[in-house]
Every structure is written in structure tokens, then in C-alpha cells.
Amino acid sequence: DTAVSQTPKYLVTQMGNDKSIKCEQNLGHDTMYWYKQDSKKFLKIMFSYNNKELIINETVPNRFSPKSPDKAHLNLHINSLELGDSAVYFCASSQRGQGGQYFGPGTRLTVT
Amino acid sequence: TQLLEQSPQFLSIQEGENLTVYCNSSSVFSSLQWYRQEPGEGPVLLVTVVTGGEVKKLKRLTFQFGDARKDSSLHITAAQPGDTGLYLCAGTRAGSARQLTFGSGTQLTVLP
């Protein structure tokens, strides 16, 4: 009964490739998020999304795009990967009116 | 410049000692959350504080939200090796209830 799951756990790929990371939550939450955690452990919001609104952090390159097939899933597509994209990416979810976000286990992306 | 500054950045103490971690900002937050993250995992919510001056206790952990809602502290009494981890504060600002801004993190190591 994992609350928020992500696949894959590890992703190693070459520069220029396109890759996707999948996220699923079984908590019935109405909002999902993607975060990037850099080598200094700083967590930065990339996107927040519910069925009505997508909020994009203006610093995120347009090579990154979230895709939500339904309320329980929010996948992250990355085009033309660059070395600087190497990081740990976390998916999270929350419910309006309730405190706290629930995080997935993370996907460690390494671009070579 | 980070919106939420945490101090100290690193803390290494002996089992049984007390410690306090600080989370400071020049901005007002409508709520403040504390998370703990262990290696290879996502952050896990510990507590949410919403009222200025609010104090919450979770076993040996005491959380306080500043009167002006610009700062917060986490105090751990009689630290144990199991408390080891990365402690993150995160705030939500008025009008952006779904957007979490994370602090810079405090890496705590409790030595047996």
C-alpha cells in the first residue's frame, strides 16, 4: 500500500535523450507536484497540478513537461536531457484544505 | 538568496543531548511545516503549524511557530541515533496554499 510511488528509482541516460518518470498516488489527493532536489539537498518546486490548474515554476526549462492522464498520476517528461538535469526528482501529493504533502521515494537521474 | 534559511546547516551531537534547529525568513508564511528526510527516501511530514506563537509537541520533538509567522524552531530533547536525518522546514504563503517553499535543510547526525 505505497501512498506515492515513482518509477524508475534510478535512471542513467546520455545527454540529448528524452526520458519520462512516472508517479502514482493512491491517497485520493487532488493535487500533485514535482520537485527537484540538487546535490546540496535543496528541494525546489517544479510544478503543481490539479485537474483545473497547472502552476509552473518560471525557472523550469520548457524541456520539462508534466502530463496527467488522470487524478492519480502525474508523469514528468524531459526532452533533450542535459548534464545539469542530474538530480533526484520527487513526486508529491496533497489534498486541498489539509496540511502537508506526501512524497514519493524519489528518482535519481544521472545524465552522462 | 533562499526565502527560508535554516541553521545550523550541519549538526553532529552525542546521544542524549538536546538540540534546536532554526528556520528563519523575512517573509510571512500562512503555515510552516517540518519534514524529515532519510537517505534514499522522500521527505516525511512531521508537523504543520499555522498560528503565530503556536507550539506543538511530538514525543521528544517540540515545534514552535514565531509570533510574526516569519520563523520556526524545532527542539529535540535527548536525541537518539534514530533522529539522524535531514530536517527541512517548508512554508506556504498567503494566496499560494498549494506551493511549498523549502528551507535549506539541517543535516543532523546523532552519534551513539
Side-chain angles (χ1 to χ4, degrees):
Chain A
D1 353 11
T2 305
V4 182
S5 59
Q6 293 178 229
T7 55
K9 177 74 171 170
Y10 300 95
L11 183 54
V12 181
T13 188
Q14 292 185 328
M15 284 174 53
N17 285 348
D18 302 337
K19 290 293 179 184
S20 295
I21 306 172
K22 295 186 176 181
C23 176
E24 177 182 2
Q25 57 97 1
N26 62 7
L27 297 167
H29 288 167
D30 62 3
T31 306
M32 297 182 72
Y33 311 82
W34 278 104
Y35 288 85
K36 179 181 180 180
Q37 188 171 45
D38 62 23
S39 57
K40 295 185 178 180
K41 303 297 185 183
F42 180 59
L43 262 173
K44 191 171 185 180
I45 182 76
M46 300 176 71
F47 305 100
S48 68
Y49 181 79
N50 64 20
N51 59 359
K52 297 179 183 178
E53 186 179 29
L54 170 65
I55 300 176
I56 303 172
N57 185 319
E58 65 275 8
T59 66
V60 175
N62 58 15
R63 299 181 294 103
F64 290 78
S65 58
K67 302 243 190 286
S68 179
D70 55 58
K71 279 181 60 173
H73 297 82
L74 184 66
N75 303 326
L76 181 65
H77 295 268
I78 316 170
N79 294 325
S80 303
L81 277 155
E82 300 178 358
L83 292 176
D85 297 333
S86 295
V88 181
Y89 292 85
F90 286 98
C91 176
S93 70
S94 71
Q95 179 64 31
R96 175 188 285 276
Q98 298 177 8
Q101 294 184 10
Y102 291 78
F103 284 78
T107 295
R108 180 174 292 278
L109 172 65
T110 303
V111 183
T112 63
Chain B
T1 312
Q2 309 247 359
L3 198 56
L4 279 169
E5 295 283 349
Q6 286 184 236
S7 61
Q9 186 178 358
F10 297 96
L11 185 56
S12 182
I13 61 171
Q14 292 293 136
E15 182 176 2
E17 292 183 358
N18 302 331
L19 67 113
T20 302
V21 176
Y22 299 93
C23 175
N24 295 300
S25 177
S26 57
S27 299
V28 175
F29 289 91
S30 54
S31 71
L32 217 298
Q33 299 169 12
W34 284 92
Y35 291 79
R36 185 173 80 192
Q37 184 180 12
E38 298 189 20
E41 299 180 8
V44 175
L45 179 69
L46 297 174
V47 77
T48 301
V49 286
V50 297
T51 305
E54 182 176 1
V55 176
K56 280 194 175 178
K57 291 192 175 184
L58 185 65
K59 296 184 180 178
R60 295 175 294 101
L61 279 59
T62 301
F63 305 85
Q64 184 162 9
F65 200 10
D67 291 341
R69 292 187 288 138
K70 292 183 179 182
D71 55 84
S72 181
S73 64
L74 158 60
H75 182 79
I76 301 179
T77 304
Q80 299 177 0
D83 296 327
T84 293
L86 178 68
Y87 288 81
L88 297 160
C89 66
T92 57
R93 302 174 74 181
S96 303
R98 296 175 186 270
Q99 299 283 342
L100 268 183
T101 299
F102 274 86
S104 44
T106 295
Q107 180 63 53
L108 171 66
T109 303
V110 182
L111 304 169

